[in-house]
Amino acid sequence: MLPDIHRRVVNAKYVLERAAKIQEESNEMSLSLSLLLMHDAVELLMLAVLDQLQLASKKRRDFMNFWSDIKQAGHPEPPDFVPMESLNKLRVGLKHNGNLPRAQTVRDLLPRVLGFFENVLNAYCGLSYSDVSLIDLVPDQEVCSLLHDAQKMFSSGEKAEALTNLKIALHKLEHPKDKHLSLLQAPRRPSLPSEVARAGLGGYLDELDSFLKESAMRANAAMLGIDPARYSSFVRNTPIVQWSVSGKSTVVLTSTYSAVSEEDFTEMVNFLIDYALKVSEA
């Protein structure tokens, strides 16, 4: 696949993943937004495929012309005409007539749209849906490499190493080489004289230090448009990585991480992708 087309396919998948994520909110308007995003994702994929097959046209196209355009050019006819026609009709009804779709109808369309992506990518691009990695959206190439390597480690059972890579990637995002992020820094914990520590203030100071660091992290996430609870969950469930002034890292494993599921790991990777895109806009 041409590099430019690959990028557009990645963008289409990103929009579709956002559509799926919004459905978790389960309110009427969220599902309506999900419908619009699903339609946009399908159209982005169609345009990328038409360019890949050198069938792009400057004239205004109709959404449903995708099937006839490809068939008339001598290629196998695309699949999933009926569900995509339903998607298009619902989108027209919502956007142009103000008709809110039934919640269950929108939910039922999501796997059909995923199936359309899988079928079209396989038929015209020689790819599977899983081959298209959203990691390629990350502008920082060092972070991008860390995430790709983490996926390979996790797949081979090296979970602690994979999660360490993710935590290092977060550090790289928070300390980019080409820009300065105005992030809050918690004050350093002071050393206490032994007699003061014995008086019981040491434990209190430890708790205060943890609270200030957690508060700074949540505030920084909120400033960048990241869900603070999502940020806190990522930090809590990954190894501790300490950095020296010279830039060397020391890793502290707080568990074996054997219980981390593939779903949990995917959420952590998606969190970093979202974080990277926010940082690139900051």
Side-chain angles (χ1 to χ4, degrees):
M1 180 184 292
L2 300 174
D4 177 60
I5 305 302
H6 181 270
R7 178 74 178 189
R8 291 168 64 183
V9 170
V10 172
N11 291 341
K13 179 173 180 176
Y14 179 75
V15 174
L16 182 55
E17 295 284 315
R18 294 299 295 268
K21 189 70 176 177
I22 288 177
Q23 289 198 12
E24 296 176 6
E25 299 177 15
S26 296
N27 64 68
E28 195 174 58
M29 285 310 300
S30 293
L31 288 165
S32 295
L33 287 173
S34 177
L35 172 68
L36 295 175
L37 286 175
M38 281 194 286
H39 191 279
D40 287 344
V42 169
E43 192 157 32
L44 285 171
L45 178 64
M46 288 176 175
L47 292 171
V49 168
L50 288 171
D51 271 347
Q52 174 72 5
L53 300 177
Q54 298 182 337
L55 299 177
S57 172
K58 293 183 179 180
K59 68 179 182 179
R60 181 178 175 83
R61 336 176 22 262
D62 183 77
F63 182 86
M64 298 307 298
N65 285 349
F66 179 72
W67 284 262
S68 58
D69 288 348
I70 290 184
K71 185 178 180 180
Q72 288 172 8
H75 298 284
E77 186 174 6
D80 305 303
F81 179 90
V82 173
M84 295 307 101
E85 184 180 42
S86 298
L87 172 67
N88 192 49
K89 287 180 178 178
L90 285 172
R91 181 257 188 189
V92 170
L94 171 62
K95 189 170 181 180
H96 299 290
N97 301 318
N99 299 325
L100 295 180
R102 289 179 64 250
Q104 192 56 49
T105 302
V106 177
R107 293 192 187 96
D108 290 343
L109 270 173
L110 181 59
R112 305 301 297 273
V113 173
L114 285 167
F116 174 78
F117 263 69
E118 190 71 67
N119 292 332
V120 166
L121 287 171
N122 181 61
Y124 308 112
C125 303
L127 294 172
S128 68
Y129 188 76
S130 60
D131 290 334
V132 181
S133 176
L134 296 184
I135 293 174
D136 293 334
L137 289 171
V138 175
D140 188 310
Q141 290 305 304
E142 186 177 7
V143 172
C144 190
S145 295
L146 283 166
L147 298 185
H148 278 303
D149 289 344
Q151 282 190 323
K152 295 174 185 176
M153 292 171 183
F154 192 86
S155 297
S156 63
E158 302 171 89
K159 293 187 176 183
E161 292 82 354
L163 295 182
T164 299
N165 255 35
L166 298 189
K167 194 60 167 287
I168 293 173
L170 177 62
H171 176 82
K172 299 291 184 182
L173 289 173
E174 292 181 328
H175 302 84
K177 296 177 181 179
D178 58 343
K179 66 171 66 177
H180 172 71
L181 296 180
S182 299
L183 301 178
L184 297 175
Q185 296 291 336
R188 291 187 178 182
R189 182 191 185 284
S191 298
L192 291 178
S194 58
E195 62 272 15
V196 176
R198 285 196 298 269
L201 289 179
Y204 170 75
L205 195 60
D206 288 340
E207 291 181 10
L208 180 60
D209 181 60
S210 296
F211 173 77
L212 291 174
K213 287 179 179 177
E214 180 77 11
S215 297
M217 288 191 302
R218 286 174 174 260
N220 289 333
M223 284 192 296
L224 289 171
I226 296 293
D227 181 358
R230 197 178 177 201
Y231 183 99
S232 181
S233 175
F234 177 89
V235 171
R236 187 171 58 252
N237 293 296
T238 49
I240 298 170
V241 180
Q242 300 169 334
W243 296 86
S244 68
V245 177
S246 64
K248 292 184 178 180
S249 61
T250 302
V251 180
V252 180
L253 302 179
T254 57
S255 80
T256 63
Y257 304 99
S258 58
V260 177
S261 67
E262 185 172 353
E263 182 180 358
D264 294 334
F265 180 76
T266 299
E267 161 56 22
M268 293 178 189
V269 172
N270 288 339
F271 163 77
L272 289 174
I273 293 169
D274 290 341
Y275 199 106
L277 294 176
K278 294 294 184 182
V279 167
S280 69
E281 298 167 1

